[in-house]
Amino acid sequence: MSKYTEILHFTVVEDLKAGTVTLDGIRDLLSKAEGLKRSYAGPTIEDPAVLYIINEWASKDAYAAFLNSPNGTAYEPALQVLSGSPVVRFFVEFDEDGSALSAPIVEYATFTLKEDDTVERLKALLHELIDKFKAAKTSKHYGSGWGEVLDKPNMYQSILGWDSIEAHQYAVQQPLAKEVIGKIMEQQFAGLEVVHLALKPVVENA
């Protein structure tokens, strides 16, 4: 995964649900973007009307160069054709272990810390939890990522790849994992959101 990752989501228009509008326009624009390594798109399992697009850019400068190109100028209007709600966008500098986005199911979590909290304990606990998941071998380990959301104070995001929703549900019920999850939840976050994504490749430039 790129250290400069663009993550956006929105509720899709009815035409996209019906198949009369497709992602082909976005795919065409991104396929011509220099500095884009990979792009994925797919709905959340929790609400299939919510679409995520995740773009792995080589750098912040590569993204800026794309926006200043003719294809980049057409990018936002092309997104608006698909979106039936405001587009929510994050940029994250992930540290990477493997290729979580290639998994059949991607667990995507957003943590917002209280102002007086520090991130070091949360990060250590999440790494410990991933180690417990690996040891339990309830799913192939596709990889994971963790990073700070840029320009969003106290907000962090993590991703983890799974074989299936059932594999994730089974893994979190294992005693060693449940113990670590309990410690994580003791932090009393200002905000915590977890969704599961069924992503498919849109562009592969790397």
Side-chain angles (χ1 to χ4, degrees):
M1 174 175 290
S2 167
K3 285 190 175 294
Y4 194 75
T5 303
E6 176 192 13
I7 302 172
L8 54 93
H9 65 86
F10 50 84
T11 300
V12 301
V13 295
E14 290 296 328
D15 286 345
L16 186 59
K17 295 180 191 178
T20 54
V21 171
T22 70
L23 293 175
D24 288 348
I26 294 293
R27 180 181 291 106
D28 182 61
L29 294 172
L30 293 176
S31 68
K32 300 170 184 174
E34 294 185 14
L36 177 68
K37 299 168 67 177
R38 283 171 293 271
S39 177
Y40 299 86
T44 69
I45 300 302
E46 290 78 5
D47 183 357
V50 176
L51 180 73
Y52 273 71
I53 299 175
I54 302 180
N55 298 322
E56 297 184 348
W57 296 95
S59 65
K60 182 177 181 179
D61 288 343
Y63 174 70
F66 169 67
L67 290 185
N68 289 324
S69 71
N71 289 323
T73 301
Y75 181 49
E76 289 298 327
L79 288 173
Q80 296 304 319
V81 170
L82 304 176
S83 60
S85 69
V87 176
V88 177
R89 180 182 272 110
F90 299 112
F91 292 94
V92 185
E93 292 184 338
F94 281 110
D95 62 15
E96 179 191 10
D97 171 23
S99 301
L101 297 180
S102 66
I105 294 294
V106 177
E107 176 192 355
Y108 170 66
T110 300
F111 303 87
T112 304
L113 303 185
K114 294 181 178 179
E115 290 187 4
D116 56 347
D117 283 344
T118 60
V119 71
E120 284 76 15
R121 182 169 183 268
L122 172 61
K123 185 176 180 179
L125 286 170
L126 287 174
H127 283 303
E128 182 181 354
L129 181 60
I130 290 170
D131 287 341
K132 302 301 184 188
F133 288 153
K134 288 180 183 178
K137 297 181 180 179
T138 59
S139 171
K140 174 182 174 182
H141 181 66
Y142 293 88
S144 61
W146 160 266
E148 182 177 3
V149 180
L150 303 180
D151 301 319
K152 299 286 186 181
N154 301 317
M155 184 178 287
Y156 299 83
Q157 294 184 342
S158 68
I159 59 170
L160 184 61
W162 294 95
D163 286 331
S164 63
I165 286 284
E166 292 75 19
H168 180 204
Q169 292 171 338
Y170 181 74
V172 300
Q173 293 302 317
Q174 303 310 299
L176 293 178
K178 287 181 72 173
E179 180 181 351
V180 180
I181 292 170
K183 293 178 182 178
I184 292 173
M185 298 310 297
E186 287 174 0
Q187 290 208 220
Q188 298 294 314
F189 302 103
L192 172 59
E193 181 181 13
V194 181
V195 295
H196 297 85
L197 312 176
L199 300 175
K200 300 293 183 185
V202 175
V203 174
E204 181 77 50
N205 290 336

